[in-house]
Amino acid sequence: MEILKAGWPERVERSPEVIGTVSRILSDVEREGLPAIRRYSEQLDDWNPESFVVSADQIKAAAASVDEELAAHLEFAREQVEGFARLQRATLTDLEAETRPGVVLGHKHLPISRVGSYSPGGRYPLIASSIMTVTVPKVAGVDTVVAMAPPRAAKGIYGPQLYTMDLAGADVIACLGGVQAFAALAFGFEDVPPVDLVVGAGNAYVAEAKRQLFGTVGIDLLAGPTEVAVIADESADPRLVAADLLGQAEHGFNSPALLVTTDRAFGTAVLAEIERWLSTDWPTVEVAGGAWREHGTVVVCDSREEVVKVSDAYAPEHLEIQTADDDWYAANLRNYGSLFIGPEATVAFSDKSIGTNHVLPTGRAGRYTGGLWVGKFLKTVTYQRLTAAGAASIAPSTAAIADAELMYGHALTARLRES
């Protein structure tokens, strides 16, 4: 194995300043409620309206600001995401079986009651995030989705973003950003009760807020800087691979990008194409170029088996395969957030409109979890139903195990049902 360029961080460090700031904001909001939310919103976003909840008139105004062509594309994206979520939901069936005479066991999938959806603002107002984090829970059957996004230039939610929140099916929309938004969702604000689960990406402060709030509410996952990796060989187009690496790197200066290849000449060609893109036509050259120079990595492997080993060790959020052996790689790779098979499957499709969810694990979390999907908004709960004969058949083993554990009360409740 040879590393032509190194830059992918070994781990994302948690800043003590971020941890302390988040802890203070969450504590203040939990203790003080709305006054603390107002104070931090004004301090951090220059935003302190009469009500943070967006009115019907504001939603109508946002809709009027979106041209028909964009509205049609947003509806297309919503339809794709909803359609795939419905297909996923159809695979989750309830179960009931008589496991032994008189013993019926089962499970059922119950939707979470209240979900908070956060769509980031910052450098890019991520319109598609509302589709991913509002439409999908509604497909799951969630009663209430409270959607939030930060104000843009202290003028309220970015018009297309607000329009999309409503289009996606949000029941309540509020204009709040960052840590104070997650605090409001977790503890409640104005006349809006707390939610049970919060979802959506954001910056380091948002990720830390979710980490600290876990337990008070559920969370989807802890998403850090966006990641992309491409597995490619000499059969791929170096210019296309270079573009796909830079396309995700434009998310931020800390977004890592990785190329893993079995062909050194191809790796060198991609490096040259990246420099050509950055010196000529790349539209977000400052951010993408900065991210690539700091966090771009190119690894040359001796075999496709080594490629899989290297890729699985990185466990990238987005993983593209552009090789002569795409099917082999797809069958053997294990650790990633979402897989993009073949040169036509660019990450941007999934980010915006193809139908799969773009909220995905980063920071090597792909080793143990997948991304956001309709099942995240469902609780799989079990139940038991027994006849007297069924209970009598279970009681002896239960009582014996309970006695061995010194849990004599458990044993007593079992023996009361032995006959």
Side-chain angles (χ1 to χ4, degrees):
M1 184 177 74
E2 179 185 7
I3 299 177
L4 296 184
K5 183 184 183 305
W8 191 292
E10 290 188 10
R11 56 176 295 179
V12 177
E13 299 291 341
R14 295 173 63 203
S15 160
E17 186 275 330
V18 171
I19 294 170
T21 298
V22 170
S23 178
R24 182 177 66 256
I25 294 173
L26 295 181
S27 296
D28 287 351
V29 172
E30 183 177 19
R31 185 177 62 256
E32 301 174 36
L34 189 58
I37 294 173
R38 290 194 173 280
R39 183 170 68 252
Y40 284 113
S41 181
E42 185 166 34
Q43 175 185 325
L44 299 172
D45 288 331
D46 192 25
W47 182 248
N48 188 9
E50 182 177 342
S51 173
F52 291 107
V53 175
V54 175
S55 69
D57 287 343
Q58 290 170 311
I59 294 172
K60 289 179 182 177
S65 72
V66 176
D67 66 63
E68 292 184 5
E69 182 178 2
L70 176 58
H73 290 313
L74 290 169
E75 175 58 17
F76 171 84
R78 190 202 63 78
E79 289 174 352
Q80 306 320 299
V81 172
E82 179 182 325
F84 187 63
R86 291 194 182 282
L87 291 171
Q88 289 181 310
R89 180 64 182 89
T91 70
L92 300 172
T93 57
D94 292 351
L95 165 69
E96 183 172 286
E98 188 172 26
T99 58
R100 57 184 294 113
V103 178
V104 174
L105 305 181
H107 77 223
K108 52 186 175 179
H109 304 289
L110 300 178
I112 292 168
S113 297
R114 297 179 58 81
V115 166
S117 155
Y118 185 75
S119 294
R123 180 179 291 108
Y124 309 111
L126 297 186
I127 300 169
S129 285
S130 299
I131 300 174
M132 309 293 175
T133 59
V134 176
T135 296
V136 177
K138 296 308 291 186
V139 169
V142 171
D143 295 328
T144 303
V145 177
V146 182
M148 286 193 180
R152 190 163 182 81
K155 295 181 180 179
I157 298 174
Y158 180 58
Q161 198 170 31
L162 176 53
Y163 169 78
T164 305
M165 288 174 161
D166 184 59
L167 177 71
D171 299 286
V172 179
I173 301 174
C175 184
L176 267 171
V179 177
Q180 60 269 24
F182 281 86
L185 289 168
F187 302 123
F189 68 104
E190 297 183 16
D191 294 326
V192 181
V195 301
D196 304 305
L197 172 74
V198 293
V199 300
N203 60 19
Y205 292 90
V206 164
E208 182 61 27
K210 290 163 72 175
R211 187 192 307 273
Q212 294 188 25
L213 284 169
F214 178 64
T216 300
V217 291
I219 65 173
D220 48 358
L221 46 81
L222 295 171
T226 293
E227 307 163 352
V228 64
V230 180
I231 294 173
D233 61 19
E234 64 276 10
S235 68
D237 178 351
R239 182 169 170 80
L240 193 67
V241 170
D244 283 0
L245 291 167
L246 292 176
Q248 287 301 113
E250 79 173 357
H251 270 275
F253 291 103
N254 56 354
S255 294
L258 167 71
L259 170 64
V260 188
T261 182
T262 52
D263 187 273
R264 190 180 194 281
F266 179 81
T268 302
V270 171
L271 284 170
E273 290 294 342
I274 286 175
E275 293 308 315
R276 189 170 292 116
W277 273 120
L278 292 175
S279 63
T280 55
D281 301 326
W282 199 258
T284 51
V285 61
E286 181 182 357
V287 178
W292 173 255
R293 292 188 177 96
E294 289 295 319
H295 299 300
T297 301
V298 178
V299 179
V300 180
C301 294
D302 297 326
S303 66
R304 62 185 189 179
E305 289 78 12
E306 187 175 51
V307 168
V308 168
K309 183 178 180 180
V310 167
S311 179
D312 278 350
Y314 281 95
E317 177 188 15
H318 306 97
L319 178 57
E320 294 187 3
I321 309 171
Q322 299 185 32
T323 73
D325 299 311
D326 289 350
D327 290 342
W328 183 89
Y329 281 107
N332 285 277
L333 289 159
R334 175 172 294 186
N335 298 342
Y336 51 82
S338 192
L339 191 63
F340 303 80
I341 305 168
E344 305 306 325
T346 183
V347 171
F349 289 162
S350 176
D351 271 353
K352 309 304 178 187
S353 66
I354 204 170
T356 49
N357 207 294
H358 76 195
V359 180
L360 299 168
T362 65
R364 299 186 67 231
R367 293 171 297 131
Y368 55 82
T369 187
L372 191 62
W373 71 299
V374 72
K376 185 65 180 180
F377 302 100
L378 299 166
K379 301 173 294 183
T380 302
V381 296
T382 58
Y383 61 89
Q384 307 84 38
R385 183 184 299 114
L386 291 81
T387 63
S393 73
I394 300 294
S397 294
T398 300
I401 293 170
D403 282 340
E405 294 175 339
L406 311 183
M407 301 187 75
Y408 304 120
H410 280 65
L412 173 63
T413 63
R415 289 194 173 98
L416 287 172
R417 293 166 171 83
E418 278 188 316
S419 59

